[in-house]
Amino acid sequence: MPNFHAKEFVEPSYPSDYGKTNFEFVAQSTRGEKLVMSHLEDNDLLLKINKSKKGYLIKGDKITRPSQVAILQQVLKDYRDLTKTNTTNSNIDSKKEKTLKVSPFLKTMEYFANSFETSKDILVEVGFGSGRHLLHQAKKNPDKIVIGLEIHKPSIEQVLKQCELQNIENILVVDYDARTFLEFLNSNSVKQIFVHFPVPWDKKPHRRVISTAFINESRRVLMQKGTLELRTDSDNYFEYSFGEFIKQAKVELHVNKNQDLEISSKYEDRWKRQEKDIYDITMINKEISEDIPRIGTLKFDETIEFKKVKEKFQEVTLRGDDFFAHIEEIFKINKDEGLVRVSFGASQRNEHSYLYIKKDSVTYLPDNVLATKDNEKAHKLIKEHIWNM
Ligand SMILES: C[S@@+](CC[C@H](N)C(=O)[O-])C[C@H]1O[C@@H](n2cnc3c(N)ncnc32)[C@H](O)[C@@H]1O
């Protein structure tokens, strides 16, 4: 990640501008940690100043990091030049681009949380890897939307490239954890969910995609006769998953062994060469599920005095049944304004953010906290805690 080191460093006055970047304020924690609020075009991000015996390290704060590394690089260059710092070590002039390229097929979670609407049937593939099956489904079903979920960036790049080369227009790719994605789809809108050769996670079972929560959410989003299709080469994962499916109070399951599909993935080819067994479990959804309203944006409707929060502040972890909120640290901007660093959500996926407390408002920074069910519950905990101080 972009950063620079310096032996000497003199802070500017705030606010200051350099190039197209505005450095609005500095916020300081009781432990001496410093954050600089910076704005470049539509991007709001915090720089972090770390002081050690050897000198200074200036980098982007990981919570407010923009999606494009190039933006952070530019802001750091502007800060270095504004402060006329002689760097001892720096990577902010390198041209390496590590983030995903912009593509019409690549969608953010915010898009699915706030804007995604379609009257077409939806297919979802979890962990598409090389994308052979995803591309096959998209070509076979031009009248449907095929959503591919993957967390491995090179696989995503590869599929985005193939979409362009093969003129495929009905794929939407999301760089997001499949375990919580389905929450953002409407009830009864999905025809098929494919989970092909998921990572078995024998040593970290909590990371498995198939779970009671995932099956329940699949049932909600599947239309009547819609299917959730698991394909695995792992005896363990097959047995574990079968146990999860059969826990359902009422369910139709079909189990197959060593059945060929229309298309074989790279993984599958390898297992077939090794003559491993391959298992399929298909769950057929019978029910029509209730629509659930979208949660919308997580907001604070009331204001609170920063002075009061600062006086009473203590680091604390608040716990609900299966979610938590960690109130981590407080940063003062001036007597009326400050930041509170928080992390919260479900144990499997944490959200990190700051509460930006001003005289007339409290907002999240960055303000794109996803309104998942667990985040909403944790958001209520945070509100209760802060407003009861
Ligand atoms: C063993 S590979 C199988 C790839 C492909 N389905 C196939 O059959 O060749 C599992 C894939 O799932 C992805 N993956 C693992 N956990 C995931 C998650 N929670 N959400 C989305 N993708 C995930 C991994 O990055 C990896 O590409």
Side-chain angles (χ1 to χ4, degrees):
M1 275 297 138
N3 62 68
F4 65 83
H5 295 252
K7 276 203 181 113
E8 302 294 333
F9 172 72
V10 182
E11 261 187 76
S13 58
Y14 299 95
S16 281
D17 293 314
Y18 193 92
K20 288 186 184 159
T21 309
N22 167 259
F23 300 97
E24 188 188 344
F25 60 73
V26 65
Q28 183 162 2
S29 77
T30 37
R31 293 181 207 149
E33 207 180 311
K34 279 189 179 180
L35 300 169
V36 177
M37 182 77 222
S38 318
H39 309 276
L40 173 58
E41 290 157 359
D42 291 338
N43 300 278
D44 303 332
L45 64 148
L46 292 164
L47 298 184
K48 201 166 181 173
I49 306 174
N50 283 353
K51 189 172 185 301
S52 70
K53 279 182 198 153
K54 286 187 190 159
Y56 296 85
L57 164 64
I58 323 283
K59 59 184 185 176
D61 168 63
K62 71 172 192 256
I63 298 177
T64 60
R65 194 177 283 159
S67 53
Q68 298 294 314
V69 175
I71 301 277
L72 176 56
Q73 267 182 325
Q74 188 57 52
V75 170
L76 282 165
K77 276 191 224 174
D78 288 345
Y79 197 56
R80 172 197 63 191
D81 296 345
L82 170 72
T83 52
K84 299 191 174 66
T85 303
N86 289 319
T87 60
T88 47
N89 196 354
S90 150
N91 61 3
I92 55 180
D93 295 304
S94 107
K95 290 222 162 61
K96 269 191 217 155
E97 179 60 86
K98 286 191 193 133
T99 41
L100 290 167
K101 291 191 190 76
V102 175
S103 157
F105 306 106
L106 181 63
K107 297 292 178 194
T108 59
M109 271 315 298
E110 287 73 31
Y111 168 76
F112 279 98
N114 303 316
S115 322
F116 176 66
E117 287 293 344
T118 181
S119 54
K120 295 181 179 175
D121 288 357
I122 298 171
L123 308 183
V124 176
E125 177 158 357
V126 168
F128 54 73
S130 66
R132 264 195 219 171
H133 181 262
L134 186 80
L135 294 160
H136 168 77
Q137 288 297 342
K139 284 188 269 187
K140 190 177 141 195
N141 298 288
D143 56 331
K144 301 190 177 64
I145 301 282
V146 184
I147 300 175
L149 308 172
E150 187 42 79
I151 50 176
H152 182 239
K153 292 195 171 35
S155 301
I156 296 178
E157 294 280 11
Q158 199 177 322
V159 163
L160 294 176
K161 209 166 165 185
Q162 284 305 318
C163 288
E164 272 174 40
L165 290 174
Q166 300 187 36
N167 287 324
I168 294 174
E169 290 181 348
N170 56 333
I171 285 186
L172 299 177
V173 170
V174 199
D175 173 15
Y176 196 74
D177 191 324
R179 291 171 299 169
T180 37
F181 173 81
L182 296 180
E183 273 191 38
F184 296 99
L185 295 182
N186 287 339
S187 302
N188 316 300
S189 63
V190 178
K191 200 160 192 323
Q192 281 172 290
I193 302 171
F194 306 102
V195 185
H196 285 182
F197 302 97
V199 182
W201 291 115
D202 287 335
K203 294 201 176 123
K204 292 183 183 166
H206 63 280
R207 296 195 62 176
R208 289 173 174 159
V209 170
I210 299 289
S211 67
T212 302
F214 184 81
I215 295 171
N216 287 340
E217 207 49 18
S218 297
R219 293 186 82 142
R220 183 187 66 77
V221 300
L222 282 171
M223 52 186 63
Q224 254 186 330
K225 297 192 187 154
T227 53
L228 166 58
E229 302 175 26
L230 166 70
R231 190 164 173 82
T232 181
D233 58 288
S234 156
D235 297 0
N236 246 350
Y237 201 82
F238 165 71
E239 280 164 29
Y240 154 80
S241 303
F242 190 76
E244 290 297 298
F245 280 112
I246 211 74
K247 267 191 214 162
Q248 296 283 317
K250 203 172 168 191
V251 67
E252 180 175 339
L253 297 177
H254 295 253
V255 176
N256 282 302
K257 186 172 170 185
N258 295 328
Q259 294 283 325
D260 285 331
L261 298 185
E262 292 164 338
I263 188 109
S264 177
S265 76
K266 268 193 192 167
Y267 273 87
E268 186 163 341
D269 287 349
R270 191 191 307 160
W271 304 141
K272 280 183 177 158
R273 280 196 296 275
Q274 294 177 15
E275 298 189 344
K276 277 186 93 174
D277 288 328
I278 292 174
Y279 307 94
D280 290 291
I281 303 178
T282 303
M283 180 187 79
I284 302 180
N285 179 49
K286 293 293 197 57
E287 273 127 55
I288 298 178
S289 301
E290 252 181 60
D291 283 332
I292 52 159
R294 291 213 174 162
I295 296 171
T297 324
L298 300 182
K299 282 196 281 207
F300 300 94
D301 300 322
E302 293 170 60
T303 56
I304 187 157
E305 267 186 53
F306 176 70
K307 201 172 137 218
K308 190 172 157 199
V309 179
K310 177 130 187 6
E311 271 165 22
K312 304 265 176 76
F313 184 85
Q314 271 187 329
E315 186 187 347
V316 62
T317 303
L318 314 164
R319 293 193 188 280
D321 296 341
D322 48 2
F323 61 96
F324 76 99
H326 183 191
I327 316 281
E328 293 181 13
E329 178 65 296
I330 189 158
F331 296 77
K332 181 178 169 183
I333 301 167
N334 57 47
K335 67 178 181 34
D336 297 322
E337 297 185 359
L339 303 171
V340 175
R341 186 161 60 209
V342 290
S343 59
F344 58 96
S347 42
Q348 58 180 226
R349 192 183 167 88
N350 300 353
E351 201 74 49
H352 298 270
S353 191
Y354 291 92
L355 308 187
Y356 184 5
I357 304 177
K358 292 195 217 176
K359 256 188 160 171
D360 52 1
S361 66
V362 182
T363 50
Y364 279 114
L365 179 73
D367 65 359
N368 57 357
V369 173
L370 276 175
T372 64
K373 281 186 276 183
D374 289 316
N375 284 355
E376 191 199 24
K377 287 189 263 181
H379 170 71
K380 283 188 183 150
L381 272 188
I382 293 173
K383 277 204 292 198
E384 272 167 31
H385 178 78
I386 301 275
W387 269 266
N388 286 331
M389 271 180 163

